[in-house]
Amino acid sequence: MGIPLLKGTELDRLRLAGKAAAGTLAYIASRLAPGVATADIDAWVREDTARRGGQPSQLGYHGFPAAVCTSRNQVVCHGIPRPDERLAPGDIINVDVTTCLNGFHGDTSATFFIGEVSAEARHVVDVARRCRDAGLAVVRHGARLGDIGAAIEDLARAEGCSVVREFGGHGIGRQMHGPPHVPHVGRRGTGITLRSGMVLTIEPMVNLGRPEVRVLPDGWTVVTEDGSLSAQFEHTVLVTHEGCEVLTLGEPGEPTLALPG
């Protein structure tokens, strides 16, 4: 499939792009609160990305009209920021940031609580984060792509949740989206063999209800078919012989989930 194996200065640049994306996500996390419009998030991403010397990779990608995806409550992914969509107490929102810096892309997302949220919302967010981490735990040189999906799907099912099948992770580096496609469901021991130097995103989309989704008439926004809550977490990772290096941890680490209301 022509999957690039990155090394040397390529990895140095990729690490910088990953840290820039993580920094922007943490900055956005610090500003989320009831009353914030999702269009405000888009403006902040543009400003912070520029401050870090980068460009928002998503802006204009296949015609996408914004610099960030903001996916709230039952929106699974690719939510378009709008001035008339304002965060309210009890919401959950995924913010998906991708930064291009020096020709390389870093891609990361997290789902945040807005004020006090329901037990169901806390559950699906917690399961989505743990599903991402379960996928990360099996990434290493010699593992198979299906091992990632199986680890994620097994955990989600055990927690009474489901994993979206139509969307998954992807290769990343000089391209924002490249091979391979990384399914978040699968069977162990199947799929391509991972090799040191591959760079992937692990980004399971976990639904509180059924896994089926549909795309809204805008051609981008993906929602759960049954209207249930959905949550997602994403990291960009480098496959190594020992396991994987997470390139989007940032400094000092991930933004917190619980935000003041």
Side-chain angles (χ1 to χ4, degrees):
M1 288 189 291
I3 303 169
L5 303 178
L6 302 186
K7 57 186 178 180
T9 57
E10 294 176 316
L11 290 179
D12 293 338
R13 292 182 181 184
L14 192 62
R15 290 184 179 102
L16 291 174
K19 286 191 178 297
T24 294
L25 183 61
Y27 171 70
I28 298 304
S30 73
R31 302 194 69 173
L32 295 178
V36 166
T38 52
D40 296 333
I41 298 173
D42 182 72
W44 296 337
V45 166
R46 295 176 193 234
E47 293 164 4
D48 192 72
T49 302
R51 271 199 297 270
R52 298 172 192 274
Q55 300 86 37
S57 306
Q58 298 176 33
L59 183 60
Y61 182 76
H62 292 306
F64 188 73
V68 62
C69 295
T70 53
S71 302
R72 177 171 160 253
N73 296 332
Q74 79 279 8
V75 178
V76 174
C77 61
H78 304 161
I80 300 173
R82 303 196 317 262
D84 62 345
E85 181 183 39
R86 293 192 175 273
L87 304 182
D91 283 345
I92 61 173
I93 185 168
N94 177 269
V95 178
D96 188 339
V97 172
T98 313
T99 299
C100 182
L101 184 66
N102 297 321
F104 286 83
H105 300 268
D107 192 357
T108 186
S109 83
T111 301
F112 302 100
F113 302 143
I114 304 302
E116 291 298 320
V117 303
S118 67
E120 291 81 7
R122 287 184 178 275
H123 180 65
V124 72
V125 170
D126 177 63
V127 173
R129 178 184 52 78
R130 289 194 287 129
C131 280
R132 180 206 59 192
D133 293 347
L136 294 177
V138 300
V139 174
R140 60 179 42 79
H141 180 87
R144 303 288 289 273
L145 205 56
D147 300 343
I148 299 171
I152 290 168
E153 189 175 22
D154 286 353
L155 175 56
R157 184 179 293 135
E159 294 289 352
C161 295
S162 64
V163 181
V164 172
R165 295 174 175 269
E166 288 85 348
F167 300 91
H170 50 86
I172 189 170
R174 292 183 184 274
Q175 294 178 290
M176 179 169 70
H177 282 183
H181 172 68
V182 183
H184 295 318
V185 298
R187 289 188 300 112
R188 288 177 175 82
T190 64
I192 67 166
T193 300
L194 301 182
R195 297 178 59 192
S196 180
M198 288 182 178
V199 183
L200 316 168
T201 68
I202 308 296
E203 49 178 305
M205 302 164 201
V206 175
N207 296 347
L208 191 61
R210 295 187 54 79
E212 291 82 12
V213 300
R214 61 186 174 91
V215 181
L216 296 186
D218 63 21
W220 286 103
T221 307
V222 179
V223 300
T224 56
E225 183 65 52
D226 61 7
S228 64
L229 294 174
S230 186
Q232 180 189 19
F233 288 82
E234 175 182 14
H235 272 318
T236 297
V237 299
L238 167 69
V239 179
T240 70
H241 283 280
E242 295 74 28
C244 70
E245 178 185 345
V246 178
L247 303 176
T248 45
L249 279 178
E251 297 290 347
E254 290 188 63
T256 58
L257 286 175
L259 300 173

Coordinates of all heavy atoms in Angstrom, one line a residue, residues 75-147:
V75 N -23.3 13.8 17.9 CA -22.5 14.0 16.7 C -21.2 13.1 16.9 O -20.5 13.2 17.9 CB -22.1 15.4 16.4 CG1 -21.2 15.5 15.2 CG2 -23.3 16.3 16.2
V76 N -21.0 12.2 16.0 CA -19.9 11.2 16.1 C -18.6 11.9 15.6 O -17.6 11.7 16.3 CB -20.2 10.0 15.2 CG1 -19.0 9.0 15.1 CG2 -21.5 9.3 15.7
C77 N -18.6 12.6 14.5 CA -17.4 13.2 14.0 C -17.7 14.2 12.9 O -18.9 14.2 12.4 CB -16.4 12.1 13.4 SG -17.1 11.2 12.0
H78 N -16.7 15.0 12.5 CA -16.8 16.0 11.4 C -17.9 17.0 11.6 O -18.4 17.6 10.7 CB -17.1 15.2 10.1 CG -16.1 14.2 9.8 ND1 -16.3 13.2 8.9 CD2 -14.8 14.0 10.3 CE1 -15.2 12.4 8.8 NE2 -14.3 12.9 9.6
G79 N -18.2 17.4 12.9 CA -19.1 18.4 13.2 C -18.5 19.8 12.7 O -17.3 20.1 13.0
I80 N -19.3 20.6 12.1 CA -18.9 21.9 11.6 C -19.2 23.0 12.6 O -20.3 23.1 13.0 CB -19.6 22.2 10.2 CG1 -19.3 21.1 9.2 CG2 -19.2 23.6 9.7 CD1 -20.1 21.3 7.9
P81 N -18.2 23.7 13.0 CA -18.5 24.8 14.0 C -19.5 25.9 13.4 O -19.4 26.2 12.2 CB -17.1 25.5 14.1 CG -16.1 24.4 13.8 CD -16.8 23.6 12.7
R82 N -20.3 26.4 14.3 CA -21.3 27.3 13.9 C -21.5 28.4 14.9 O -21.4 28.1 16.1 CB -22.7 26.6 13.7 CG -22.7 25.5 12.7 CD -24.2 25.2 12.3 NE -25.1 25.2 13.5 CZ -25.5 24.1 14.1 NH1 -25.1 22.9 13.8 NH2 -26.4 24.2 15.1
P83 N -21.8 29.6 14.5 CA -22.0 30.7 15.5 C -23.3 30.5 16.3 O -23.4 31.1 17.4 CB -22.1 32.0 14.6 CG -22.4 31.5 13.3 CD -21.8 30.1 13.1
D84 N -24.3 29.8 15.8 CA -25.5 29.6 16.5 C -25.5 28.3 17.4 O -26.6 28.0 18.0 CB -26.7 29.6 15.6 CG -26.6 28.5 14.5 OD1 -25.5 27.8 14.4 OD2 -27.7 28.2 13.9
E85 N -24.4 27.6 17.4 CA -24.4 26.4 18.3 C -23.5 26.7 19.5 O -22.3 26.9 19.4 CB -23.7 25.2 17.5 CG -23.7 23.9 18.3 CD -23.0 22.8 17.6 OE1 -22.0 23.0 16.9 OE2 -23.4 21.6 17.8
R86 N -24.2 26.8 20.6 CA -23.5 27.2 21.9 C -23.5 26.0 22.9 O -24.5 25.3 23.0 CB -24.2 28.4 22.5 CG -24.0 29.6 21.6 CD -24.4 30.9 22.3 NE -24.1 32.0 21.4 CZ -22.9 32.6 21.4 NH1 -21.9 32.2 22.2 NH2 -22.7 33.6 20.6
L87 N -22.4 25.9 23.6 CA -22.3 24.8 24.6 C -23.2 25.1 25.8 O -23.3 26.2 26.2 CB -20.8 24.7 25.0 CG -19.8 24.5 23.9 CD1 -18.4 24.3 24.5 CD2 -20.2 23.2 23.1
A88 N -23.8 24.0 26.3 CA -24.7 24.1 27.4 C -24.2 23.2 28.5 O -23.6 22.1 28.2 CB -26.1 23.9 27.0
P89 N -24.5 23.5 29.8 CA -24.2 22.5 30.9 C -24.8 21.2 30.5 O -26.0 21.0 30.1 CB -24.9 23.1 32.1 CG -24.9 24.6 31.8 CD -25.2 24.7 30.3
G90 N -24.1 20.1 30.8 CA -24.5 18.8 30.5 C -24.0 18.2 29.1 O -24.2 17.0 28.9
D91 N -23.5 19.1 28.3 CA -23.0 18.7 27.0 C -21.7 17.9 27.1 O -20.9 18.2 28.1 CB -22.7 19.9 26.0 CG -24.0 20.5 25.4 OD1 -25.1 19.8 25.5 OD2 -23.9 21.6 24.9
I92 N -21.4 17.1 26.1 CA -20.1 16.6 25.9 C -19.7 17.0 24.5 O -20.6 17.1 23.6 CB -19.9 15.1 26.1 CG1 -20.8 14.3 25.1 CG2 -20.2 14.7 27.5 CD1 -20.6 12.8 25.1
I93 N -18.4 17.4 24.3 CA -18.0 17.8 22.9 C -16.6 17.3 22.6 O -15.7 17.4 23.5 CB -18.1 19.3 22.8 CG1 -17.7 19.7 21.4 CG2 -17.2 20.0 23.8 CD1 -18.0 21.2 21.0
N94 N -16.5 16.7 21.4 CA -15.2 16.3 20.9 C -14.6 17.4 20.1 O -15.3 18.0 19.2 CB -15.3 15.0 20.1 CG -13.9 14.6 19.5 OD1 -13.6 15.0 18.4 ND2 -13.2 13.8 20.3
V95 N -13.4 17.8 20.4 CA -12.7 18.8 19.6 C -11.5 18.1 18.9 O -10.6 17.5 19.6 CB -12.1 19.9 20.5 CG1 -11.3 20.9 19.7 CG2 -13.3 20.6 21.2
D96 N -11.5 18.1 17.6 CA -10.5 17.4 16.8 C -9.6 18.4 16.1 O -10.0 19.1 15.2 CB -11.2 16.5 15.8 CG -10.3 15.5 15.1 OD1 -9.1 15.8 15.0 OD2 -10.8 14.5 14.5
V97 N -8.3 18.4 16.5 CA -7.3 19.4 16.0 C -6.3 18.7 15.2 O -5.7 17.7 15.6 CB -6.6 20.1 17.2 CG1 -5.5 21.0 16.7 CG2 -7.7 21.0 18.0
T98 N -6.0 19.2 14.0 CA -4.9 18.7 13.2 C -4.0 19.9 12.7 O -4.6 20.8 12.2 CB -5.4 17.9 12.0 OG1 -6.4 17.0 12.3 CG2 -4.2 17.1 11.3
T99 N -2.7 19.8 13.0 CA -1.8 20.9 12.7 C -0.8 20.5 11.7 O -0.2 19.4 11.8 CB -1.1 21.4 14.0 OG1 -2.1 21.8 14.9 CG2 -0.1 22.5 13.7
C100 N -0.6 21.3 10.7 CA 0.5 21.1 9.7 C 1.6 22.1 10.1 O 1.4 23.3 10.2 CB 0.0 21.3 8.3 SG 1.3 21.1 7.1
L101 N 2.8 21.5 10.3 CA 3.9 22.3 10.7 C 5.2 21.8 10.0 O 5.5 20.6 10.1 CB 4.2 22.2 12.3 CG 5.2 23.1 12.9 CD1 4.9 24.6 12.7 CD2 5.4 22.7 14.3
N102 N 5.8 22.6 9.2 CA 7.0 22.2 8.5 C 6.7 21.0 7.6 O 7.6 20.1 7.4 CB 8.2 21.9 9.4 CG 8.6 23.1 10.2 OD1 8.6 24.2 9.7 ND2 8.9 22.9 11.5
G103 N 5.5 20.9 7.0 CA 5.2 19.9 6.1 C 4.8 18.6 6.6 O 4.5 17.6 5.9
F104 N 4.6 18.5 8.0 CA 4.1 17.3 8.6 C 2.9 17.6 9.5 O 2.7 18.7 9.9 CB 5.2 16.7 9.5 CG 6.3 16.0 8.7 CD1 7.3 16.7 8.1 CD2 6.2 14.6 8.4 CE1 8.3 16.1 7.4 CE2 7.2 14.0 7.7 CZ 8.3 14.8 7.1
H105 N 2.1 16.6 9.7 CA 0.8 16.7 10.3 C 0.7 16.0 11.7 O 1.2 14.8 11.8 CB -0.4 16.2 9.5 CG -0.5 16.9 8.1 ND1 -1.3 18.0 7.9 CD2 0.2 16.6 6.9 CE1 -1.2 18.3 6.7 NE2 -0.3 17.6 6.0
G106 N 0.1 16.6 12.7 CA -0.2 16.0 14.0 C -1.6 16.1 14.2 O -2.3 17.2 14.0
D107 N -2.2 15.0 14.6 CA -3.7 14.9 14.7 C -4.1 14.3 16.1 O -3.6 13.3 16.5 CB -4.2 13.9 13.6 CG -5.7 13.9 13.3 OD1 -6.4 14.6 14.1 OD2 -6.1 13.2 12.4
T108 N -5.0 15.1 16.8 CA -5.4 14.6 18.1 C -6.8 15.1 18.4 O -7.2 16.2 17.9 CB -4.4 15.1 19.2 OG1 -4.7 14.6 20.4 CG2 -4.3 16.6 19.2
S109 N -7.5 14.4 19.3 CA -8.8 14.9 19.7 C -9.1 14.4 21.1 O -8.5 13.4 21.6 CB -9.9 14.5 18.8 OG -10.4 13.2 19.0
A110 N -10.0 15.0 21.8 CA -10.5 14.6 23.1 C -11.9 15.0 23.2 O -12.4 16.0 22.6 CB -9.6 15.2 24.2
T111 N -12.6 14.4 24.1 CA -14.0 14.7 24.4 C -14.1 15.3 25.8 O -13.5 14.7 26.8 CB -14.9 13.5 24.3 OG1 -14.8 13.0 23.0 CG2 -16.4 13.8 24.6
F112 N -14.8 16.4 25.9 CA -14.8 17.2 27.2 C -16.2 17.3 27.8 O -17.2 17.4 27.0 CB -14.2 18.6 26.9 CG -12.8 18.6 26.3 CD1 -12.6 18.8 25.0 CD2 -11.7 18.4 27.1 CE1 -11.4 18.7 24.4 CE2 -10.5 18.4 26.6 CZ -10.3 18.6 25.3
F113 N -16.2 17.4 29.1 CA -17.5 17.7 29.8 C -17.7 19.2 29.9 O -16.8 19.9 30.2 CB -17.4 17.1 31.2 CG -17.2 15.7 31.3 CD1 -16.4 15.2 32.4 CD2 -17.7 14.8 30.5 CE1 -16.1 13.8 32.5 CE2 -17.5 13.4 30.6 CZ -16.7 12.9 31.6
I114 N -18.9 19.6 29.7 CA -19.3 21.0 29.9 C -20.2 21.1 31.1 O -21.3 20.6 31.1 CB -20.0 21.6 28.7 CG1 -19.2 21.4 27.4 CG2 -20.4 23.1 28.9 CD1 -17.8 22.1 27.5
G115 N -19.6 21.5 32.2 CA -20.3 21.5 33.5 C -20.6 20.1 34.0 O -19.9 19.2 33.7
E116 N -21.7 20.0 34.7 CA -22.1 18.7 35.2 C -22.8 17.9 34.1 O -23.7 18.4 33.5 CB -23.0 18.8 36.5 CG -22.3 19.4 37.7 CD -21.2 18.5 38.2 OE1 -21.4 17.2 38.1 OE2 -20.1 19.0 38.5
V117 N -22.4 16.6 34.0 CA -23.0 15.8 32.9 C -23.6 14.6 33.5 O -23.3 14.2 34.7 CB -21.9 15.4 31.8 CG1 -21.3 16.6 31.2 CG2 -20.9 14.5 32.4
S118 N -24.4 13.9 32.8 CA -25.1 12.7 33.3 C -24.1 11.5 33.5 O -23.0 11.5 32.9 CB -26.2 12.3 32.3 OG -25.6 11.8 31.1
A119 N -24.6 10.5 34.2 CA -23.8 9.3 34.4 C -23.5 8.6 33.1 O -22.4 8.1 32.8 CB -24.5 8.4 35.4
E120 N -24.5 8.7 32.2 CA -24.4 8.0 30.9 C -23.3 8.7 30.1 O -22.5 8.1 29.4 CB -25.7 8.0 30.1 CG -26.8 7.2 30.7 CD -27.5 7.8 31.9 OE1 -27.2 9.0 32.2 OE2 -28.3 7.1 32.6
A121 N -23.3 10.1 30.1 CA -22.3 10.8 29.4 C -20.9 10.5 29.9 O -19.9 10.3 29.2 CB -22.5 12.3 29.5
R122 N -20.7 10.5 31.3 CA -19.4 10.1 31.9 C -19.0 8.7 31.4 O -17.8 8.5 31.2 CB -19.5 10.2 33.4 CG -19.6 11.6 33.9 CD -19.6 11.7 35.4 NE -19.6 13.1 35.9 CZ -18.5 13.8 36.0 NH1 -17.3 13.3 35.7 NH2 -18.6 15.1 36.4
H123 N -20.0 7.8 31.4 CA -19.6 6.4 31.0 C -19.1 6.4 29.6 O -18.0 5.8 29.3 CB -20.8 5.5 31.2 CG -20.6 4.1 30.8 ND1 -19.7 3.3 31.5 CD2 -21.1 3.3 29.8 CE1 -19.7 2.1 31.0 NE2 -20.5 2.1 30.0
V124 N -19.8 6.9 28.6 CA -19.3 6.8 27.2 C -18.0 7.5 27.0 O -17.1 7.0 26.2 CB -20.4 7.3 26.2 CG1 -20.6 8.8 26.2 CG2 -20.1 6.7 24.8
V125 N -17.8 8.6 27.7 CA -16.5 9.3 27.5 C -15.4 8.5 28.1 O -14.3 8.4 27.5 CB -16.6 10.7 28.2 CG1 -15.2 11.4 28.3 CG2 -17.6 11.6 27.4
D126 N -15.6 7.9 29.3 CA -14.6 7.1 29.9 C -14.3 5.9 29.1 O -13.1 5.5 28.9 CB -15.1 6.7 31.3 CG -14.1 5.7 32.0 OD1 -13.0 6.2 32.3 OD2 -14.4 4.6 32.3
V127 N -15.3 5.2 28.5 CA -15.1 4.1 27.7 C -14.3 4.4 26.4 O -13.4 3.7 26.0 CB -16.4 3.4 27.4 CG1 -16.2 2.2 26.4 CG2 -17.0 2.8 28.6
A128 N -14.6 5.5 25.8 CA -13.9 6.0 24.6 C -12.4 6.2 24.9 O -11.6 5.8 24.1 CB -14.6 7.2 24.0
R129 N -12.1 6.9 26.0 CA -10.7 7.1 26.3 C -10.0 5.8 26.6 O -8.9 5.6 26.1 CB -10.6 8.0 27.6 CG -9.2 8.3 28.1 CD -9.2 9.0 29.4 NE -10.0 8.4 30.4 CZ -9.7 7.4 31.1 NH1 -8.5 6.8 30.9 NH2 -10.5 6.9 32.0
R130 N -10.6 4.9 27.3 CA -10.0 3.6 27.6 C -9.9 2.7 26.3 O -8.9 2.0 26.2 CB -10.8 2.8 28.7 CG -10.6 3.5 30.0 CD -11.1 2.6 31.2 NE -12.5 2.5 31.2 CZ -13.2 1.4 31.3 NH1 -12.6 0.2 31.2 NH2 -14.5 1.4 31.3
C131 N -10.8 2.9 25.4 CA -10.7 2.1 24.1 C -9.5 2.6 23.3 O -8.8 1.8 22.8 CB -12.0 2.3 23.3 SG -13.4 1.2 23.8
R132 N -9.3 4.0 23.3 CA -8.1 4.5 22.6 C -6.9 3.9 23.2 O -6.0 3.4 22.5 CB -8.1 6.0 22.7 CG -6.8 6.6 22.0 CD -6.5 7.9 22.6 NE -6.2 7.9 24.0 CZ -6.1 8.9 24.8 NH1 -6.2 10.1 24.4 NH2 -5.8 8.8 26.1
D133 N -6.8 3.9 24.6 CA -5.6 3.4 25.2 C -5.4 1.9 25.0 O -4.3 1.4 25.0 CB -5.7 3.7 26.7 CG -5.6 5.2 27.0 OD1 -5.2 6.0 26.0 OD2 -5.9 5.7 28.1
A134 N -6.6 1.1 24.9 CA -6.5 -0.3 24.7 C -5.9 -0.5 23.3 O -5.1 -1.5 23.1 CB -7.8 -0.9 24.8
G135 N -6.3 0.3 22.3 CA -5.7 0.2 21.0 C -4.2 0.5 21.0 O -3.4 -0.2 20.4
L136 N -3.8 1.6 21.7 CA -2.4 2.0 21.8 C -1.6 0.9 22.4 O -0.4 0.6 22.0 CB -2.3 3.2 22.7 CG -2.9 4.5 22.1 CD1 -2.7 5.6 23.2 CD2 -2.2 4.9 20.8
A137 N -2.1 0.1 23.4 CA -1.4 -0.9 24.1 C -0.9 -2.0 23.2 O 0.1 -2.7 23.6 CB -2.2 -1.4 25.3
V138 N -1.6 -2.3 22.1 CA -1.2 -3.4 21.3 C -0.3 -3.0 20.1 O 0.1 -3.9 19.3 CB -2.4 -4.2 20.8 CG1 -3.2 -4.7 22.0 CG2 -3.3 -3.4 19.9
V139 N -0.1 -1.7 19.9 CA 0.7 -1.2 18.8 C 2.2 -1.5 19.0 O 2.7 -1.1 20.1 CB 0.5 0.3 18.5 CG1 1.4 0.8 17.5 CG2 -1.0 0.5 18.1
R140 N 2.8 -2.2 18.1 CA 4.3 -2.5 18.2 C 4.7 -3.1 16.9 O 3.9 -3.7 16.1 CB 4.6 -3.4 19.4 CG 4.0 -4.7 19.4 CD 4.4 -5.6 20.6 NE 4.5 -4.8 21.8 CZ 3.5 -4.5 22.6 NH1 2.3 -4.9 22.2 NH2 3.6 -3.9 23.7
H141 N 6.0 -3.1 16.6 CA 6.5 -3.7 15.4 C 6.1 -5.2 15.5 O 6.3 -5.9 16.5 CB 8.0 -3.6 15.4 CG 8.7 -4.2 14.2 ND1 8.9 -3.6 13.0 CD2 9.2 -5.5 14.1 CE1 9.5 -4.4 12.2 NE2 9.7 -5.5 12.8
G142 N 5.6 -5.7 14.4 CA 5.2 -7.1 14.3 C 3.7 -7.4 14.6 O 3.2 -8.5 14.4
A143 N 3.0 -6.5 15.3 CA 1.6 -6.7 15.6 C 0.8 -6.6 14.2 O 1.3 -6.1 13.2 CB 1.1 -5.6 16.6
R144 N -0.4 -7.0 14.3 CA -1.3 -6.9 13.1 C -2.3 -5.8 13.3 O -2.7 -5.5 14.4 CB -1.9 -8.3 12.8 CG -1.0 -9.4 12.7 CD -0.3 -9.4 11.3 NE -1.1 -9.7 10.2 CZ -1.4 -10.9 9.8 NH1 -0.8 -12.0 10.4 NH2 -2.2 -11.1 8.8
L145 N -2.8 -5.3 12.2 CA -3.7 -4.2 12.3 C -5.0 -4.6 13.0 O -5.6 -3.9 13.7 CB -4.0 -3.7 10.9 CG -4.5 -2.2 10.7 CD1 -3.5 -1.3 11.3 CD2 -4.7 -1.9 9.2
G146 N -5.4 -5.9 12.7 CA -6.6 -6.4 13.4 C -6.5 -6.5 14.9 O -7.6 -6.5 15.6
D147 N -5.3 -6.5 15.4 CA -5.1 -6.6 16.9 C -5.7 -5.3 17.5 O -6.2 -5.3 18.6 CB -3.7 -6.8 17.2 CG -3.0 -8.0 16.7 OD1 -3.8 -8.9 16.3 OD2 -1.8 -8.1 16.6

